[in-house]
Amino acid sequence: AEYMGSSLDLVMWKVEVSAPGKVILFGEHAVVYGKPAVAAALGLRTRVVIEPLDTGVLELVLPDIGVNRTWPTETLSSAAAAAGLDRVDSPCKASPDQIAALSAALLRADDHAALCSFLYLYFCILGRSPAAALRVHASSELPIGAGLGSSAAFAVCLAGGLLRVRDMLAGSTAGGIEVSADRAALANAWAFVGETVVHGQPSGVDNSVATFGGAIRFQGGAMDVLQLPQLGLLLVNTKVPRSTKVLVSGVRSRHERLPAVMGPVLDAIAGIADSGVALLRQAEAAGSAAGQLEELATLVDMNHSLLRAIGVSHPALERVVAAAASHGFRAKLTGAGGGGCAFVLVPDDAPEVTRAALEAELRAFDFEVLRTTIGGHGLTHDA
């Protein structure tokens, strides 16, 4: 295919896509034991802008993780040929050999895994001959590495953006700004493939939330997408580092030592997740969550208490919960626990003075505090 056309064509298009991060509302940790959990799309988004270049290079700019890399397109074509990579129409996982060949030819030893994921998607979606000369720039409102799905939001943007570039290069702008259901499903499948390069065996939840928005109930391998009215919350990053692996194994060891206690606690967390889903469905039907907020707040409070009982809280997280409670709000840790993030449910009619007082109190602990919403859009074409 004649891709680039004349230099005049170069300025004719620009692709902009965005996708949200995620927060786990209910059910973290219990989900490891086959219980349901609920994740929701955050109002904080990752954006990717892709533009054609006439300089014969592929440029990748990821300012949030300090990446600014350029590869000549000839180098890319020969590296892809050596790795056996070319355009494929249905998503398939990278083999260890392909990853090794790509890394050896195009990456440095200390490169972030996101670069390898990017190159794999670039070749599989756009092909290798000729390798397209593009500038790909990503920016995110999400804290990186805080368990908020920043990696999956980037993967979804890349997949959605590169599929749109493929349309542009083929001279088709069909579909316009709207992301069709078929295109969303294809972008989601490619994003999951990209995530396997970075994370090995991801659950698929983060990329699904980033693609479809709203909220997702997941249990085992099954997922149900819920659309819900937007709910306000404060996202609080304690900045306390944690290891998901250590926290998960701590819960397992308690479960082995005290099955008669841990079993019912995990069942109770499952009950909270499903009660939460029922409330969200009611809110969806009513077009507003106002009638369900009080009950949701109770579930948030109970879920946090049970997470503390299974050993995954942290003094910093307890400070968030206590500060929220002192202002009449409910909060819980989200994700792995042991530090990381918490969220505070904030009703739309909460007085500004109360919100501001809570935010000031949390910032005094040196926590990062972000006002946002849950339940927003998934992958969108912004241009």
Side-chain angles (χ1 to χ4, degrees), residues 36-40 205 208-209 212-228 274 277 280-281 284:
V38 185
V205 170
S208 297
V209 173
F212 301 111
I216 287 182
R217 177 198 187 273
F218 55 104
Q219 184 172 16
M223 297 190 211
D224 296 313
V225 179
L226 316 166
Q227 293 308 326
L228 61 150
D274 275 335
V277 168
L280 293 174
R281 287 197 198 282
E284 180 185 354

Side-chain angles (χ1 to χ4, degrees), residues 27-368:
E28 48 270 89
H29 285 286
V31 76
V32 174
Y33 298 86
K35 311 297 183 193
V38 185
L42 278 167
L44 303 170
R45 301 178 72 84
T46 292
R47 289 186 172 75
V48 167
V49 178
I50 307 178
E51 298 171 278
L53 293 176
D54 58 2
T55 49
V57 298
L58 171 67
E59 190 181 335
L60 178 66
V61 186
L62 310 175
D64 298 312
I65 56 172
V67 169
N68 189 336
R69 293 292 291 281
T70 303
W71 297 273
T73 52
E74 304 87 49
T75 308
L76 291 169
S77 294
S78 54
L85 286 172
D86 206 351
R87 176 178 161 165
V88 289
D89 287 329
S90 54
C92 52
K93 286 188 189 173
S95 72
D97 289 351
Q98 288 173 323
I99 295 301
L102 267 187
S103 302
L106 300 171
L107 298 174
R108 303 196 274 256
D110 60 346
D111 274 336
H112 195 285
L115 274 73
C116 193
S117 173
F118 162 71
L119 289 168
Y120 183 74
L121 293 181
Y122 166 85
F123 290 125
C124 289
I125 294 173
L126 298 181
R128 68 178 187 230
S129 54
L134 304 169
R135 180 174 194 268
V136 179
H137 180 278
S139 58
S140 188
E141 300 164 345
L142 292 158
I144 306 294
L148 299 172
S150 58
S151 162
F154 175 59
V156 168
C157 284
L158 272 186
L162 290 170
L163 287 165
R164 186 121 169 93
V165 168
R166 187 162 86 184
D167 296 341
M168 295 290 187
L169 295 178
S172 149
T173 53
I177 291 288
E178 284 306 306
V179 181
S180 70
D182 286 353
R183 175 52 61 89
L186 183 60
N188 191 44
W190 273 122
F192 180 73
V193 165
E195 281 282 85
T196 61
V197 175
V198 180
H199 296 297
Q201 287 186 298
S203 67
V205 170
D206 288 15
N207 53 277
S208 297
V209 173
T211 303
F212 301 111
I216 287 182
R217 177 198 187 273
F218 55 104
Q219 184 172 16
M223 297 190 211
D224 296 313
V225 179
L226 316 166
Q227 293 308 326
L228 61 150
Q230 292 209 349
L231 290 169
L233 52 76
L234 282 187
L235 195 60
V236 185
N237 183 2
T238 66
K239 303 187 222 168
V240 174
R242 76 269 177 264
S243 157
T244 301
K245 195 178 283 182
V246 168
L247 289 153
V248 168
S249 68
V251 173
R252 176 155 281 123
S253 115
R254 269 192 198 201
H255 194 269
E256 286 163 1
R257 295 195 323 269
L258 298 165
V261 180
M262 287 291 284
V265 173
L266 295 171
D267 286 340
I269 292 175
I272 287 170
D274 275 335
S275 302
V277 168
L279 289 169
L280 293 174
R281 287 197 198 282
Q282 289 169 24
E284 180 185 354
S288 155
Q292 287 72 37
L293 267 178
E294 199 172 325
E295 207 66 60
L296 281 169
T298 302
L299 294 177
V300 164
D301 193 43
M302 292 175 79
N303 198 164
H304 181 79
S305 301
L306 294 173
L307 287 164
R308 186 169 59 224
I310 65 172
V312 296
S313 191
H314 180 277
L317 292 165
E318 294 308 314
R319 284 199 280 276
V320 177
V321 172
S326 74
H327 293 280
F329 300 127
R330 297 289 165 252
K332 69 177 275 291
L333 68 85
T334 180
C341 292
F343 68 82
V344 184
L345 211 51
V346 181
D348 290 342
D349 59 0
E352 176 57 31
V353 60
T354 314
R355 284 179 205 235
L358 172 58
E359 289 175 23
E361 199 171 316
L362 293 168
R363 288 197 176 101
F365 292 123
D366 197 32
F367 299 157
E368 181 183 14

